[in-house]
């Protein structure tokens, strides 16, 4: 077994301000350690306490964790609750009906505010409409919608009647949508006529029609359409219904259907490494507990905060930190239909100013592209906006390189706001390894320490712990309430993929490489294990080489992959986006040499890229992830055969090939 080598060291540490510590829910490291100690002492008691304090139960649970069918774990199994009741009714009953739940800003800047009382009425009407269309408890409903109040209403309405939703991101192609509808066995599809992006209308209903015509979708008896733009669409009488017509015919009360804690709240598809989508199945009780609890801990949420998570409801971040977590707490949140770059790259900063956002959560990819934009055009620099409302900043989805972290900290957070670099996955349901803003001293580029109750560790390929300072495989040693319950309809894939026999069969395999700092024990994510490069017998994670490249003042973004090489086994190929325009010819050759020397100096000769290619951008999913799989094909000179329908910018592939 050869370990993954860790080659970077980050010396900067930012301790939380005394004021931040004093006001925090988890106040100081001693408080964090006390929670960890409670979990270590009485694991089930710890989780049971949180579940009782955080959620309203229709039937209290007596059982906590059942490991008898491991790795098919159950939590709070004999308890019953309703997620929608927890997100809506209980706040209205507590007298908070007039509190704003959602501040919705459309692509064109129009703002709609919805109170908890309004949202409850809208969800109840739509829940009644679903029932009238024959949707029953346990049925699956696919939601293929833009970022919208209606999208959240559709999710909550499913939860209210005990139907399991599966949200498919609105950027997916008809083929991807068809595969998901078929795999999950949906009986109904909720969509919109069109969606608005950058002032342009894009089709949704037309793609949904194509998807349903592709076969295997006979079970879909109803297509329910939100009228977003009024654009032209085809209509199948009997099958198709307007969302507003169905809902307005209904009463605005609908009793929430109690479900068992293990009842599948949703299935969310994530592309597995083999490409075939995997339906990640989540529970109701354990999932909702963690979505709410982590928002309280990680973002130190308080009732007067204005929370804004920029993710789409088509991803897990939009499930946990838009559709469920904030509503379960009774929070006020901003929901945004548009994109960060329209009408210009100052949109995020302008919206933070306008809505007085206090807690802001976005992706490193977005930050890096806004750094590049504000370097090129001072008018969209965050310094031009009043961001003084901000209290805490967060990142998710990819490692954030220290240089981007520092920029975010200084320019967006005014050196005042802690940054929570939250490591987690679709499968984990909520945050797993992250700083706590009023406790953890921050180190740029590190997601720091596991949340209380999360038994994260780093092991070698046989499942043995590795010492701090040595890179290895990130695992979680004990089940936790919000974890994936199954791969929809494929239990073997769940068991072998997440609890592989090679690691002993009981460790949850996250698929990321990681290292813990020798002194602090802090975790740093080194990239996906599948992306690890092997150069002359040295195993290198992608993150550190990329970080070294981005530390160069000329570089905006970088992605690194391996390519087979006769002498070194694998050679490093780097795809680089400069802050200035894309260099060509001699200039590109000179810059590539300079950057090679730079990496040699920052990390060592072993990590020097053999090939450096410049582009105006990198291929990214609209959730902000760099598609290294595509870059690997390009590096090898292969044709792209993968589905590129979720790519934000497919044209970029020509430039990089
Ligand atoms: C993978 C999970 C988590 C919700 C959105 C993405 C990478 C995620 C971080 C972070 C380094 C991160 C990991 C992880 N990742 N957050 N803070 N630092 N890497 O969910 O699509 O399931 O992706 O995203 O590689 O395994 P996902």
């Amino acid at each position: 077994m050869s370990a993954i080598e860790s080659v970077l060291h980050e010396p900067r540490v930012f301790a939380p301000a005394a004021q931040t510590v004093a006001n925090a829910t988890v106040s100081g490291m001693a408080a964090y350690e006390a929670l960890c100690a409670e979990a270590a002492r009485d694991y089930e008691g710890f989780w049971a306490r949180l579940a009782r304090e955080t959620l309203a139960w229709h039937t209290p649970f007596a059982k906590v964790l059942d490991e008898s069918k491991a790795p098919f774990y159950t939590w709070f199994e004999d308890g019953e609750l309703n997620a929608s009741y927890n997100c809506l009714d209980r706040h209205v009953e507590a007298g908070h009906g007039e509190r704003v739940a959602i501040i919705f800003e459309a692509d064109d800047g129009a703002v709609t505010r919805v109170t908890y009382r309004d949202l409850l009425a809208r969800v109840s009407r739509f829940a009644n409409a679903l029932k009238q269309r024959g949707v029953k408890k346990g049925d699956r409903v696919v939601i293929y919608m833009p970022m919208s109040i209606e999208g959240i209403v559709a999710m909550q309405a499913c939860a209210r009647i005990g139907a399991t939703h599966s949200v498919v991101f609105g950027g997916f192609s008809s083929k991807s949508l068809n595969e998901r509808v078929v795999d999950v066995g949906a009986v109904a599809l909720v969509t919109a006529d069109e969606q608005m992006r950058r002032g342009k209308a894009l089709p949704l209903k037309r793609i949904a029609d194509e998807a349903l015509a592709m076969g295997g979708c006979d079970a879909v008896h109803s297509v329910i359409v939100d009228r977003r733009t009024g654009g032209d669409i085809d209509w199948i009488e009997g099958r198709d219904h307007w969302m507003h017509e169905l809902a307005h015919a209904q009463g605005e009360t609908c009793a929430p259907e109690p479900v068992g804690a293990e009842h599948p709240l949703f299935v969310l598809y994530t592309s597995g490494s083999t490409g075939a989508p995997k339906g990640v199945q989540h529970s109701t009780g354990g999932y909702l507990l963690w979505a709410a609890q982590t928002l309280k801990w990680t973002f130190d949420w308080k009732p007067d905060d204005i929370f804004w998570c920029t993710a789409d409801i088509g991803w897990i971040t939009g499930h946990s930190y838009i559709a469920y977590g904030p509503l379960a707490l009774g929070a006020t949140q901003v929901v945004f239909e548009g994109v960060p770059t329209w009408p210009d790259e100052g949109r995020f900063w302008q919206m933070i100013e306008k809505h007085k956002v206090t807690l802001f959560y976005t992706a490193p990819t977005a930050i890096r592209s806004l750094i590049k934009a504000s370097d090129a055009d001072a008018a969209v620099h965050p310094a031009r906006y009043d961001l003084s409302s901000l209290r805490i900043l967060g990142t998710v989805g990819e490692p954030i390189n220290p240089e981007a972290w520092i920029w975010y900290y200084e320019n967006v957070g005014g050196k005042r706001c802690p940054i929570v670099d939250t490591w987690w996955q679709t499968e984990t349901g909520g945050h797993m390894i992250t700083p706590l803003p009023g406790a953890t001293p921050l180190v740029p580029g590190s997601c720091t320490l596991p949340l209380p109750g999360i038994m994260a560790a780093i092991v070698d390929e046989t499942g043995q712990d590795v010492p701090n300072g040595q890179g290895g495989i990130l695992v979680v040693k004990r089940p936790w309430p919000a974890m994936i319950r199954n791969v929809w309809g494929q239990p073997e894939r769940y068991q072998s993929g997440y609890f592989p026999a090679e690691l002993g069969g009981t460790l949850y395999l996250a698929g990321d490489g990681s290292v813990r700092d020798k002194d602090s024990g802090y975790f740093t994510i080194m990239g996906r294990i599948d992306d690890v490069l092997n150069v002359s017998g040295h195993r290198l994670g992608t993150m550190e080489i990329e970080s070294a490249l981005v530390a160069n003042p000329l570089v905006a973004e970088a992605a690194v992959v391996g390519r087979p090489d006769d002498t070194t086994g694998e050679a490093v190929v780097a795809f680089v986006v400069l802050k200035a325009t894309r260099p060509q010819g001699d200039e590109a050759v000179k810059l590539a040499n300079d950057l090679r020397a730079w990496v040699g100096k920052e990390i060592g000769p072993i990590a020097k890229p053999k090939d450096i290619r410049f582009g105006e951008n990198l291929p990214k999913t609209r959730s902000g992830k760099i598609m290294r799989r595509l870059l690997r094909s390009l590096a090898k000179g292969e044709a792209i055969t993968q589905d590129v329908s979720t790519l934000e910018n497919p044209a970029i592939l020509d430039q990089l090939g």
Side-chain angles (χ1 to χ4, degrees):
M1 149 75 200
S2 50
I4 306 172
E5 292 177 37
S6 172
V7 287
L8 278 185
H9 185 67
E10 175 55 59
R12 292 167 284 197
V13 181
F14 298 79
Q19 195 60 30
T20 312
V21 176
N23 297 330
T25 301
V26 182
S27 173
M29 282 308 268
Y32 163 74
E33 278 152 15
L35 286 165
C36 294
E38 183 191 344
R41 202 170 48 239
D42 177 11
Y43 196 64
E44 291 193 29
F46 168 79
W47 288 112
R49 174 176 76 75
L50 295 182
R52 290 192 187 105
E53 287 173 5
T54 308
L55 299 178
W57 294 84
H58 180 81
T59 309
F61 56 87
K63 290 200 325 201
V64 183
L65 168 63
D66 183 349
E67 301 185 84
S68 61
K69 295 184 201 70
F72 298 89
Y73 302 101
T74 63
W75 285 90
F76 320 120
E77 196 186 359
D78 56 355
E80 287 186 308
L81 76 169
N82 180 279
S84 168
Y85 175 84
N86 272 275
C87 291
L88 302 169
D89 309 58
R90 67 164 166 162
H91 307 311
V92 176
E93 288 168 10
H96 303 309
E98 303 320 312
R99 188 185 286 171
V100 173
I102 297 174
I103 304 169
F104 177 74
E105 179 159 322
D107 189 55
D108 68 2
V111 174
T112 312
R113 287 187 169 70
V114 186
T115 64
Y116 273 92
R117 188 183 308 287
D118 297 338
L119 193 59
L120 173 58
R122 289 172 72 155
V123 168
S124 300
R125 281 182 194 279
F126 192 60
N128 285 331
L130 287 174
K131 283 204 281 196
Q132 190 223 314
R133 288 307 311 149
V135 178
K136 298 183 300 295
K137 179 174 177 175
D139 282 350
R140 273 83 59 205
V141 175
V142 166
I143 298 175
Y144 181 63
M145 294 187 85
M147 279 300 286
S148 55
I149 298 165
E150 289 74 13
I152 298 168
V153 166
M155 293 166 82
Q156 285 282 339
C158 288
R160 197 162 187 88
I161 65 172
T164 298
H165 61 68
S166 186
V167 183
V168 177
F169 172 62
F172 274 111
S173 65
S174 52
K175 179 167 169 287
S176 306
L177 177 59
N178 171 270
E179 282 169 3
R180 286 156 177 75
V181 168
V182 172
D183 190 80
V184 85
V187 301
L189 178 92
V190 188
T191 187
D193 51 359
E194 297 180 303
Q195 58 181 327
M196 293 302 298
R197 272 168 74 84
R198 304 174 180 278
K200 287 204 194 71
L202 300 171
L204 272 181
K205 172 69 161 60
R206 183 167 63 67
I207 298 172
D209 286 341
E210 276 169 27
L212 295 181
M214 279 175 176
C217 305
D218 292 347
V220 179
H221 55 64
S222 301
V223 174
I224 303 174
V225 188
D226 171 44
R227 188 155 69 198
R228 170 63 184 89
T229 64
D232 266 354
I233 52 171
D234 290 341
W235 201 257
I236 296 184
E237 275 315 319
R239 186 197 72 172
D240 297 353
H241 303 268
W242 286 112
M243 189 171 182
H244 62 273
E245 286 180 2
L246 285 183
H248 283 132
Q250 306 295 327
E252 64 175 46
T253 57
C254 171
E257 176 75 34
V259 300
E262 284 296 314
H263 183 73
L265 180 60
F266 63 87
V267 174
L268 181 60
Y269 284 84
T270 160
S271 45
S273 49
T274 61
K278 274 188 290 201
V280 173
Q281 178 185 326
H282 275 289
S283 69
T284 300
Y287 170 79
L288 192 63
L289 160 63
W290 203 224
Q293 184 66 57
T294 49
L295 189 55
K296 234 194 270 180
W297 278 346
T298 310
F299 279 93
D300 190 39
W301 174 83
K302 305 271 168 51
D304 49 4
D305 274 311
I306 311 278
F307 179 69
W308 182 19
C309 165
T310 68
D312 191 282
I313 52 167
W315 312 121
I316 189 70
T317 310
H319 282 59
S320 303
Y321 300 107
I322 297 177
Y324 289 107
L327 297 179
L329 292 178
T332 299
Q333 65 174 325
V334 173
V335 174
F336 178 39
E337 180 181 38
V339 297
T341 51
W342 195 82
D344 65 34
E345 285 97 343
R347 185 74 183 262
F348 276 0
W349 323 133
Q350 186 234 331
M351 283 181 60
I352 290 170
E353 176 178 298
K354 176 165 157 192
H355 300 299
K356 303 206 165 35
V357 171
T358 60
L359 313 174
F360 181 63
Y361 195 24
T362 196
T365 327
I367 297 166
R368 282 190 295 265
S369 69
L370 297 176
I371 295 174
K372 179 174 152 89
S374 65
D375 266 23
D377 177 5
V380 298
H381 194 281
R384 298 288 290 265
Y385 299 84
D386 177 4
L387 305 182
S388 59
S389 58
L390 287 170
R391 198 161 78 74
I392 291 160
L393 303 174
T395 71
V396 59
E398 280 222 313
I400 177 159
N401 53 288
E403 296 318 307
W405 193 103
I406 294 284
W407 184 92
Y408 193 34
Y409 184 75
E410 292 180 347
N411 296 285
V412 182
K415 302 188 185 168
R416 181 186 78 245
C417 306
I419 297 179
V420 289
D421 174 353
T422 61
W423 178 85
W424 59 297
Q425 311 178 293
T426 304
E427 293 87 344
T428 70
H431 304 154
M432 298 291 279
I433 308 181
T434 174
L436 294 175
T440 322
L442 305 171
V443 172
S446 169
C447 51
T448 74
L449 296 169
L451 285 171
I454 300 301
M455 306 304 182
I458 301 180
V459 300
D460 66 18
E461 281 155 5
T462 64
Q464 300 303 307
D465 287 302
V466 303
N468 286 359
Q470 185 176 318
I473 299 168
L474 179 57
V475 296
V476 186
K477 291 194 163 178
R478 296 216 60 185
W480 65 101
M483 68 191 294
I484 175 174
R485 291 304 194 270
N486 207 344
V487 172
W488 184 257
Q490 301 182 67
E492 299 79 34
R493 199 169 170 197
Y494 166 80
Q495 178 148 14
S496 63
Y498 295 107
F499 298 89
E502 305 82 72
L503 297 183
T506 61
L507 303 178
Y508 169 81
L509 174 71
D512 285 338
S514 182
V515 62
R516 299 188 73 161
D517 184 80
K518 274 208 187 70
D519 307 316
S520 62
Y522 279 14
F523 288 76
T524 292
I525 305 297
M526 302 167 83
R528 302 291 298 168
I529 307 171
D530 296 344
D531 294 336
V532 167
L533 284 66
N534 193 333
V535 185
S536 307
H538 297 271
R539 299 181 76 234
L540 303 170
T542 51
M543 187 278 289
E544 293 182 307
I545 309 177
E546 290 165 3
S547 244
L549 282 163
V550 181
N552 184 292
L554 300 176
V555 175
E557 269 202 290
V560 159
V561 299
R563 174 180 73 199
D565 186 273
D566 289 343
T567 23
T568 55
E570 262 189 322
V572 179
V573 180
F575 296 85
V576 172
V577 182
L578 296 182
K579 289 179 182 160
T581 48
R582 176 177 179 235
Q584 313 248 5
D586 289 350
E587 197 203 346
V589 174
K590 177 179 175 303
L591 276 167
N593 283 331
D594 291 352
L595 288 177
R596 244 190 298 280
W598 169 274
V599 173
K601 191 166 62 61
E602 291 274 300
I603 299 184
I606 196 71
K608 277 190 185 179
K610 185 153 189 179
D611 185 0
I612 296 189
R613 301 186 194 177
F614 296 98
E616 278 153 19
N617 206 335
L618 298 171
K620 279 174 223 151
T621 64
R622 275 157 58 170
S623 66
K625 275 202 206 312
I626 297 167
M627 305 258 287
R628 289 189 187 72
R629 258 186 306 156
L630 296 181
L631 291 175
R632 260 201 301 276
S633 303
L634 292 179
K636 283 193 237 165
E638 291 172 359
I640 302 284
T641 52
Q642 296 98 326
D643 178 9
V644 294
S645 66
T646 44
L647 265 194
E648 172 81 45
N649 46 0
I652 211 71
L653 296 177
D654 298 332
Q655 226 177 56
L656 298 169

